[in-house]
Amino acid sequence: MIGKRIVQSEAFKTVVGFTAAMLIKFVRRTSRFEVRRGDIAQRFWTGDEPFIGATWHGQNLILPTFWHNWREMRILVSRHGDGEIVSKIMHFLGVGTIRGSGVPKGEERRHKYKGKGGAGALRAMVRALGENVSVGMTADLPPGPARRAGDGIVMLARLSGRPIVPVAATTRARIRLNNWDKFTINLPFTKGALVWGEPIYVPRDADPETLEAARLSVENALNAVAEEADRIVGRLPASTGGGAGTS
């Protein structure tokens, strides 16, 4: 019971968040990153158009270390589970957060997803984009399937009028866990890759067919940048399989 109270305490979460953030920074500083299509990044970071940064769940551990060097970015972080620790990590990395979570397609009305703050988070992200602040989120949602884009990200693009920009970051030295999203832990002293994809716009008057086409475009684009990043560092893409280990 005492141990549980310690783990759930604010102090414990702060210590874990700080430690994780320092380790992530260490990986970033000791690794050599190759950037592909950096002109896309510069277009949005130096211009006046905020964007929706899209990544795959579990494949974005190192990515926040690139955000704080440019314009303001706020990351969508779940209100539940490990969300508190993730929020602490973002704080120590100098990245803002928006608390809430998406809802898997077809589960919108199921009771177990009530209270996750999805609607409030969507409004907060639309508001941030309207205030010239970029936002970042994962396109796929727990409990999976992994690498299937949900509807939330294209709905955000439709409501805000802002583009979705796919991005992937990885390292050659890494540990990939055998869980639903093949969560990747990046290791230091290695080669890294940061790959940007072309922006995807969703019309404000998009009908269901157009929204589905946009969702598929996001899914395909994210797979493409993730696989390109893996090829750059000389690793097999996560989509080809492989469980826990350093592959």
Side-chain angles (χ1 to χ4, degrees), residues 31 40 62 67 112 123 133 136 171 180 190 194 197 202 207 234 238 242:
S31 300
I40 296 175
I62 196 70
W67 294 144
K112 67 178 180 178
R123 289 192 296 270
V133 175
T171 53
W180 77 270
T190 188
L194 175 67
V202 180
D207 58 20

Side-chain angles (χ1 to χ4, degrees), residues 71-90:
R71 68 184 297 160
E72 185 178 357
M73 167 71 78
R74 297 176 192 168
I75 304 298
L76 178 64
V77 176
S78 171
R79 289 183 180 276
H80 296 277
D82 58 1
E84 287 295 327
I85 292 177
V86 174
S87 182
K88 297 288 186 185
I89 293 172
M90 293 301 106

Side-chain angles (χ1 to χ4, degrees), residues 225-244:
V225 295
E227 289 171 8
E228 184 175 356
D230 279 326
R231 286 194 296 271
I232 290 171
V233 300
R235 289 293 187 183
L236 290 175
S239 58
T240 64

Side-chain angles (χ1 to χ4, degrees), residues 154 164 200-203 209-219:
V154 293
I164 300 166
I200 298 168
Y201 290 84
V202 180
E209 290 75 18
T210 302
L211 288 173
E212 175 60 13
R215 188 195 68 77
L216 288 173
S217 293
V218 171
E219 193 169 287

Side-chain angles (χ1 to χ4, degrees), residues 6-242:
I6 292 174
V7 170
Q8 293 178 344
S9 69
E10 186 73 10
F12 178 84
K13 293 174 182 177
T14 299
V15 170
V16 172
F18 175 80
T19 303
M22 294 306 102
L23 290 174
I24 293 169
K25 285 184 177 181
F26 184 68
V27 172
R28 174 72 178 89
R29 291 170 179 169
T30 60
S31 300
R32 306 173 310 279
F33 277 82
E34 179 178 337
V35 179
R36 291 281 176 89
R37 289 181 291 282
D39 58 313
I40 296 175
Q42 289 300 318
R43 168 185 165 188
F44 289 99
W45 285 123
T46 60
D48 293 326
E49 184 179 14
F51 68 96
I52 303 163
T55 64
W56 282 139
H57 206 284
Q59 312 301 312
N60 56 353
L61 184 66
I62 196 70
L63 193 56
T65 62
F66 293 94
W67 294 144
H68 75 284
N69 293 322
W70 296 316
R71 68 184 297 160
E72 185 178 357
M73 167 71 78
R74 297 176 192 168
I75 304 298
L76 178 64
V77 176
S78 171
R79 289 183 180 276
H80 296 277
D82 58 1
E84 287 295 327
I85 292 177
V86 174
S87 182
K88 297 288 186 185
I89 293 172
M90 293 301 106
H91 169 74
F92 289 116
L93 291 177
V95 180
T97 58
I98 293 174
R99 302 304 302 274
S101 60
V103 178
K105 186 176 182 179
E107 301 286 355
E108 294 88 349
R109 294 183 176 87
R110 296 179 72 125
H111 176 74
K112 67 178 180 178
Y113 288 102
K114 290 182 179 180
K116 282 197 169 186
L122 180 61
R123 289 192 296 270
M125 287 188 288
V126 171
R127 185 166 55 251
L129 290 163
E131 296 171 351
N132 208 35
V133 175
S134 295
V135 302
M137 63 182 295
T138 58
D140 52 347
L141 303 168
R147 301 206 172 201
R148 183 196 184 281
D151 297 328
I153 194 165
V154 293
M155 185 61 68
L156 174 61
R158 182 181 74 81
L159 292 173
S160 67
R162 304 303 187 182
I164 300 166
V165 180
V167 61
T170 193
T171 53
R172 177 173 177 80
R174 65 195 188 191
I175 298 173
R176 184 179 293 161
L177 304 184
N178 191 23
N179 59 345
W180 77 270
D181 60 358
K182 292 185 171 60
F183 186 84
T184 299
I185 301 172
N186 305 107
L187 301 176
F189 304 108
T190 188
K191 180 178 182 179
L194 175 67
V195 180
W196 294 83
E198 294 291 335
I200 298 168
Y201 290 84
V202 180
R204 288 184 182 272
D205 61 351
D207 58 20
E209 290 75 18
T210 302
L211 288 173
E212 175 60 13
R215 188 195 68 77
L216 288 173
S217 293
V218 171
E219 193 169 287
N220 292 334
L222 277 173
N223 281 331
V225 295
E227 289 171 8
E228 184 175 356
D230 279 326
R231 286 194 296 271
I232 290 171
V233 300
R235 289 293 187 183
L236 290 175
S239 58
T240 64

